[in-house]
Amino acid sequence: MYDNILLPVDGSPAAEQAIPHVFGLAEQYDATVHVLFVVNTNRDNVGIVGGTVLEALEQEGQQVVDEVVSRGEERGIEIIGDVTRGAPHEAILDYADDNEVEVIVMATHGRTGVERVLLGSVTERVVRTSPVPVLTVRASE
């Protein structure tokens, strides 16, 4: 059913909670897991500070990706890691399209009301615009 599963990560405890679900799916379907970290270049302050900060964020993202990749390899899962720049929800969808991903697995904080509107949600944007199924994992506090 699934040959390619996408796991966007950001190093947060919420994203961490999606990993067991992804690994379980990958083992069940003998699928390849794609781990993706997106350096958000839509933030106003990132544009102001320039390349050095972006490079530092990419290095941080690479560490997060490498750690998840290592854990997947220990379980015998075929796993690929990547770091990219852009608007997170757009970069996730572009990556999914470019890599023939059949399902995206993402954590959600479960925010509602004004908090959700003010903070925005990458997961919500992906869910609303993705042409492939999105499995959301509600992060516990």
Side-chain angles (χ1 to χ4, degrees):
M1 176 174 246
Y2 302 122
D3 292 322
N4 291 289
I5 302 169
L6 177 56
L7 172 65
V9 294
D10 61 6
S12 71
E16 177 71 24
Q17 292 181 35
I19 295 170
H21 296 276
V22 170
F23 287 175
L25 283 173
E27 290 169 338
Q28 181 174 356
Y29 293 107
D30 194 27
T32 299
V33 172
H34 297 259
V35 182
L36 179 66
F37 185 101
V38 180
V39 175
N40 186 353
T41 57
N42 277 358
R43 295 181 184 167
D44 294 334
N45 58 343
V46 172
I48 292 169
V49 292
T52 303
V53 170
L54 290 176
E55 290 170 10
L57 291 171
E58 284 177 338
Q59 288 176 355
E60 178 184 328
Q62 191 63 57
Q63 290 174 346
V64 171
V65 168
D66 289 347
E67 194 273 325
V68 176
V69 167
S70 176
R71 289 167 53 190
E73 289 174 342
E74 288 173 7
R75 290 179 64 162
I77 295 169
E78 185 175 339
I79 191 162
I80 298 166
D82 199 6
V83 176
T84 191
R85 293 181 183 183
H89 71 284
E90 292 172 359
I92 290 165
L93 295 173
D94 288 345
Y95 185 94
D97 184 51
D98 292 346
N99 292 278
E100 300 177 2
V101 166
E102 289 101 1
V103 65
I104 302 169
V105 181
M106 300 181 71
T108 181
H109 292 282
R111 293 185 182 104
T112 60
V114 174
E115 185 179 33
R116 178 182 58 83
V117 172
L118 291 176
L119 295 175
S121 170
V122 172
T123 302
E124 181 180 354
R125 289 178 183 159
V126 171
V127 166
R128 282 190 286 121
T129 58
S130 176
V132 299
V134 180
L135 171 64
T136 60
V137 178
R138 183 161 184 173
S140 57
E141 299 285 327

